[in-house]
Amino acid sequence: MQQRSSLKARLIASPYVAWSALFIVAPMFFVVYYAFTDAAGAFTLANIKALSNYTEIFVRSITFGLIATVICLLIAYPFAYILSQSGANVQRTMILLIMLPMWMNFLIRTYSWMALLQDTGLINAILGKLGIGPFHMINTGGAVILGMIYNFLPYMILPIYSILTKLDRSLIEAAEDLGSNRFNVIKKVVIPLSMPGVVSGITMVFVPSVSTFYISQKLGGGAFDLIGDTIERQFQQAYNYNLGASLSLVLMVLILVCMAVMHRFTDNDEGGGMVI
Amino acid sequence: MEKNVVIDLKNISISLGGNEILKNLNLYIRDKEFITLLGPSGCGKTTTLRIIAGFVQPDSGDIIFENKKINGVPPHKRQVNTIFQRYALFSHLNVFENVAFGLRIKKLPEEQIKQQVEEMLDLVNLKGFNKRNINSLSGGQQQRVAIARALVVKPRILLLDEPLGALDLKLRKDMQVELKNIQQSLGITFIYVTHDQEEALSMSDTIVVMDNGIIQQIGTPLDVYNEPKNAFVADFIGESNILDGIMRKDRLVEFSGHRFVCLDEGFALNEAVDVVVRPEDVDVVTPDKGMLKGVVTSVTFKGVHFEIIVDIGGFKWMIQTTDFQPEGSVIGLYIEPDAIHIMKKSEYSGLYGDFSSFSEEFDELSEPNESEEE
C-alpha cells in the first residue's frame, strides 16, 4: 500500500520534475558551461576576467535597482497601510486599479512614458502652457528609475497590503491599551509584524529592477546601459554567448548575495509574506 | 453615590451596524472590586468592556473615571488595561519584551524595566521564560504572559474579556483561583467578562447579569443565585424550575395546584408571579408524605447526585437527589418555605424553567471557542 501510493505520487510528480529539469536545471547548466568556456568549447576563465570591464555597469544596475526599490517601498508602505485601514469597497477598487496596468503590455506602458517624458512630450506641453519648463526628462537616469518604479510598484504594494490586512486588529488595540500612541503602534507593532511582506516586496522589485533591459533602452536613450542591456547585446548582437553567460552568472550571484543579506535581518520570523 | 467608585457608566447607549447593543446602561464599579459581566453571546458585555477601555465610543452617555468624564480620551491615555480574548501577544517579541512593552513606551530606565518585568513574571509563575518565543508557549502560559503584560503597567482597572475561554477545563479552574489571588494581592479592580456562570459565581464580588443590552440584575453571587430578579437570571445562573404561581397572600403562594408557605411578601393579592425552585432544594419523599407527587421520567447519574426529571401535572421538574429513583416510579416532593423564591412577571416569563424538552443542555464549558461577540 505504502509502496503503491508513493509510486503513484512519483508518477504524478514526474511531469513537473521533467519540466524543472528541462527548463530550470538544464539552462542553468548551460549558463555555467558557457561562462567557463571559449567559443571553441575549451575551458577558460577569460570571460570572468573580462567582467572587470563592466564594473561600472554592474554598479549602475545595482544602484538604480536599490534606488527604485527604496522609493517603491517609501511609496508602497504608507499606501498599503492606509488602504488596509479603508472600507471594503475602497480596498477592492484600489486593488483593481493597481492591477489594471499589469494587464497591459509592459512595452506599451514603457513607450507611453517616452511620449510623456519627451522634450516635446505631454508633460512639457502642459508645463509650457503654465509657463514653466521645458524640462529635459527623457534619456536621464531619473527617467530610467521612474520607469522601474512605475512598472514594479504593484509588486511592492500587493505583498505588503496582503499582510497588513491579515494583521490581527486586537494586536493594535493591545498596543494602544499599553500606552502606545498611533506613531508607536505603527513603529513597534505594525511595521515589525509586516516585515515578511516588506521582504517579499523588496525581492519582487529589486530583482527585476536590477536585471531589466528594456526600460533603460527606451527611457535612458542608451546612455544608461544596465547589466540586462549588456547581456542582451552579447546574445543578440555580439553573439558572444560565453561573455553573456558569465555576465548572467555574476548577476545571479550578486542578486543572491543581496537577498541573503536582506534575509539575515528579517530571518527571525516564520515568514509567509509571499502572496499574490 | 457611594464613595470609592472608580468608574461610573451613565446612560450608555450604543448601536453597531444598525443593532442596538447597549440600551441606556447604568453601572458603577467600586475600587478594588472583582466585578463580572455575565450573559450570553451578544448581550453587550464585551461592548461594555470596550467602551471602558476606549476602543469604542458610546452613541450617548458618559464614562466617568474617578469623577472625571473620559468619553473622548483615547485608550493609550486611560489607566485601564485589557486582557484580550485571544491574548493578542506580540509574536515578534519574546516573553520578556512582551511584558516590557508598556514600560518601554513609558521610557523607564532599563534597570527598572528589568526589575519590574522579572517581578511580574515571577508573580505569574513564568520565571526563566524571558527569552522564550511566544509561539512556543502553551495556551495557559500565553495567558500568563498576557496577564503580566497588562499588570506590569499598574492599571487602576484590569479588563478581562473571557480570558479563560480558550483553556481546557482543568487549566481554567486553576487560573480562576490564580486570577482571584492576583486580584486580591494587588488590590486592582477587575472587570471580568464571561458567559460561564460557574466562573462568575466562584470569582466575583459582584455579578452583573446582562441580556439584550440591558442589565438584568446586579448583586453578589449569593444574591443573584438565591434571589434572581426574573426568569432569565434564574435560568441563566444555575438550574431552575420556574412555574406560574399566584400569590394568595403574603407568604403563601399557589402553584401546581397546591398552596405553599414561602418567605416572600409585598405582592398584590392574587398577583400572578413566577416561582423559582432550585433542583437541589427539593426533598424527595414517599408519595404520601409529599406536597406534590409525580412520575420519574428520566434519571441521569451526575457523580455527586442523580438528576431526575419528574412529571407533575404535565410540568417537568428537574430535581437533584442523592438517592436513586428508578424511572417510572412515583415519588413525592417536599419543598421547604425557604426553597421557594417568588419573582414578578417579566418579559422572560414562560420562556425558561420547564424541563419538558430538556436534553442534557450543552454545558458551555465544552465549547471554549464560542463565537466572538462584537
Side-chain angles (χ1 to χ4, degrees):
Chain A
M1 192 64 206
Q2 187 73 30
Q3 287 267 322
R4 275 210 348 245
S5 74
S6 90
L7 181 70
K8 206 159 130 196
R10 250 183 286 167
L11 271 174
I12 292 170
S14 59
Y16 303 101
V17 173
W19 175 277
S20 306
L22 207 58
F23 295 109
I24 299 174
V25 180
M28 291 281 276
F29 170 79
F30 282 118
V31 167
V32 176
Y33 171 79
Y34 277 117
F36 290 99
T37 51
D38 58 20
F43 177 78
T44 175
L45 288 176
N47 300 317
I48 306 293
K49 283 181 189 141
L51 291 177
S52 57
N53 303 329
Y54 297 95
T55 318
E56 192 197 339
I57 293 176
F58 270 113
V59 170
R60 185 189 299 137
S61 293
I62 290 184
T63 313
F64 277 26
L66 279 177
I67 294 172
T69 308
V70 168
I71 295 176
C72 274
L73 182 60
L74 291 179
I75 298 171
Y77 200 98
F79 180 80
Y81 179 75
I82 293 165
L83 190 56
S84 71
Q85 308 286 311
S86 317
N89 282 329
V90 177
Q91 293 195 24
R92 254 197 305 274
T93 316
M94 289 310 290
I95 288 300
L96 186 73
L97 288 176
I98 292 165
M99 308 271 271
L100 207 59
M102 295 164 82
W103 301 347
M104 263 176 281
N105 190 285
F106 172 71
L107 302 180
I108 295 175
R109 281 182 284 149
T110 308
Y111 264 109
S112 318
W113 272 111
M114 286 175 71
L116 286 173
L117 295 176
Q118 261 157 17
D119 293 346
T120 55
L122 188 63
I123 295 176
N124 272 325
I126 293 171
L127 288 177
K129 288 262 193 306
L130 299 170
I132 326 168
F135 295 102
H136 178 62
M137 291 179 288
I138 193 81
N139 302 344
T140 61
V144 176
I145 292 173
L146 176 72
M148 291 175 175
I149 294 168
Y150 172 74
N151 275 305
F152 304 128
L153 185 62
Y155 301 101
M156 184 69 88
I157 294 175
L158 293 174
I160 297 176
Y161 163 75
S162 85
I163 208 151
L164 284 177
T165 49
K166 280 186 294 183
L167 201 68
D168 188 353
R169 173 90 209 140
S170 68
L171 290 173
I172 292 169
E173 288 183 350
E176 288 175 352
D177 197 63
L178 292 163
S180 315
N181 54 25
R182 278 195 110 149
F183 172 74
N184 271 330
V185 169
I186 292 174
K187 182 179 139 204
K188 295 197 169 224
V189 176
V190 178
I191 290 181
L193 286 173
S194 59
M195 277 323 276
V198 172
V199 169
S200 60
I202 289 176
T203 311
M204 279 152 61
V205 171
F206 180 68
V207 173
S209 296
V210 169
S211 55
T212 185
F213 64 90
Y214 192 77
I215 296 172
S216 48
Q217 287 169 21
K218 293 300 155 199
L219 300 178
F224 298 92
D225 250 2
L226 297 183
I227 198 70
D229 304 304
T230 314
I231 293 170
E232 191 215 8
R233 212 172 307 116
Q234 292 309 319
F235 284 99
Q236 299 283 338
Q237 291 164 26
Y239 295 106
N240 190 344
Y241 282 30
N242 307 91
L243 184 58
S246 80
L247 284 165
S248 301
L249 191 65
V250 171
L251 176 63
M252 209 159 71
V253 170
L254 281 177
I255 289 173
L256 278 175
V257 169
C258 289
M259 291 296 111
V261 168
M262 195 174 61
H263 276 275
R264 273 209 82 86
F265 288 115
T266 51
D267 222 20
N268 47 7
D269 226 63
E270 65 262 42
M274 267 313 223
V275 223
I276 280 190
Chain B
M1 189 203 295
E2 277 188 65
K3 286 186 298 183
N4 69 28
V5 167
V6 61
I7 198 148
D8 193 2
L9 303 177
K10 284 192 167 154
N11 308 318
I12 302 279
S13 293
I14 183 170
S15 297
L16 295 172
N19 295 319
E20 255 191 307
I21 306 292
L22 294 175
K23 300 165 191 163
N24 199 27
L25 177 124
N26 282 286
L27 176 66
Y28 65 84
I29 292 159
R30 282 182 227 99
D31 199 17
K32 299 184 173 52
E33 189 172 26
F34 193 126
I35 190 166
T36 299
L37 308 182
L38 175 67
S41 286
C43 71
K45 55 193 194 298
T46 294
T47 304
T48 309
L49 210 63
R50 292 172 62 79
I51 285 174
I52 297 172
F55 297 132
V56 282
Q57 297 298 327
D59 298 337
S60 62
D62 289 339
I63 310 142
I64 316 281
F65 179 78
E66 295 185 319
N67 301 320
K68 262 180 282 176
K69 189 169 149 178
I70 56 162
N71 279 35
V73 178
H76 69 272
K77 290 192 178 144
R78 296 191 183 190
Q79 282 178 287
V80 170
N81 285 93
T82 310
I83 309 267
F84 292 84
Q85 211 161 18
R86 289 187 221 300
Y87 320 141
L89 297 175
F90 305 122
S91 59
H92 61 294
L93 302 173
N94 63 24
V95 170
F96 182 92
E97 287 303 324
N98 261 279
V99 179
F101 191 91
L103 301 177
R104 292 211 188 283
I105 298 281
K106 284 188 184 167
K107 298 207 160 50
L108 290 190
E110 191 61 36
E111 196 99 315
Q112 229 172 313
I113 291 179
K114 192 160 164 35
Q115 185 215 332
Q116 292 187 20
V117 172
E118 296 286 357
E119 242 168 61
M120 232 359 113
L121 286 176
D122 198 20
L123 180 82
V124 297
N125 287 321
L126 281 179
K127 218 174 184 157
F129 278 69
N130 299 21
K131 296 260 182 285
R132 289 280 290 273
N133 186 313
I134 289 301
N135 295 320
S136 73
L137 301 182
S138 71
Q141 289 166 337
Q142 292 191 5
Q143 175 69 75
R144 287 157 200 269
V145 176
I147 294 169
R149 185 180 68 175
L151 287 177
V152 78
V153 293
K154 303 198 168 64
R156 289 296 313 278
I157 303 176
L158 188 69
L159 308 174
L160 303 98
D161 186 5
E162 309 227 8
L164 308 183
L167 303 181
D168 62 57
L169 186 60
K170 181 77 178 63
L171 204 50
R172 265 172 103 104
K173 301 261 181 207
D174 294 345
M175 285 304 291
Q176 283 176 18
V177 177
E178 233 170 293
L179 276 175
K180 185 76 188 168
N181 287 342
I182 289 173
Q183 190 257 340
Q184 279 168 345
S185 68
L186 296 181
I188 294 175
T189 309
F190 272 36
I191 306 180
Y192 194 98
V193 158
T194 184
H195 62 267
D196 180 351
Q197 43 114 351
E198 199 190 314
E199 211 165 273
L201 290 173
S202 59
M203 299 171 82
S204 325
D205 299 321
T206 305
I207 294 180
V208 179
V209 186
M210 296 178 67
D211 186 47
N212 250 330
I214 294 169
I215 293 179
Q216 303 294 334
Q217 187 169 3
I218 304 178
T220 64
L222 269 175
D223 280 346
V224 291
Y225 189 84
N226 289 336
E227 310 282 330
K229 275 240 175 73
N230 60 34
F232 173 81
V233 178
D235 182 74
F236 196 78
I237 299 179
E239 304 284 1
S240 300
N241 299 294
I242 305 174
L243 302 107
D244 287 325
I246 294 168
M247 282 310 274
R248 289 305 176 194
K249 60 178 193 189
D250 275 354
R251 279 166 278 143
L252 188 71
V253 63
E254 181 178 325
F255 59 90
S256 297
H258 190 278
R259 290 186 179 202
F260 294 84
V261 177
C262 61
L263 304 176
D264 303 75
E265 44 193 66
F267 292 87
L269 199 64
N270 294 331
E271 182 176 343
V273 291
D274 285 335
V275 180
V276 180
V277 182
R278 296 285 186 186
E280 70 273 19
D281 290 341
V282 179
D283 296 325
V284 176
V285 292
T286 51
D288 54 307
K289 284 191 189 140
M291 298 157 132
L292 297 170
K293 64 180 176 181
V295 185
V296 177
T297 60
S298 91
V299 185
T300 316
F301 180 57
K302 287 286 189 181
V304 184
H305 55 254
F306 292 97
E307 201 165 83
I308 61 178
I309 304 293
V310 184
D311 187 332
I312 296 169
F315 189 92
K316 307 264 175 131
W317 288 62
M318 179 202 271
I319 289 153
Q320 291 166 352
T321 169
T322 47
D323 301 317
F324 176 72
Q325 305 294 339
E327 221 171 287
S329 62
V330 177
I331 58 170
L333 302 184
Y334 184 82
I335 302 167
E336 299 272 3
D338 66 355
I340 296 169
H341 171 65
I342 310 293
M343 307 181 299
K344 289 241 184 235
K345 283 280 179 193
S346 70
E347 55 179 313
Y348 293 105
S349 297
L351 295 178
Y352 302 106
D354 175 9
F355 291 89
S356 54
S357 60
F358 180 65
S359 57
E360 284 300 312
E361 278 178 29
F362 272 109
D363 197 335
E364 273 178 291
L365 285 181
S366 61
E367 36 172 345
N369 288 325
E370 190 217 32
S371 63
E372 259 172 294
E373 60 175 313
E374 207 28 69

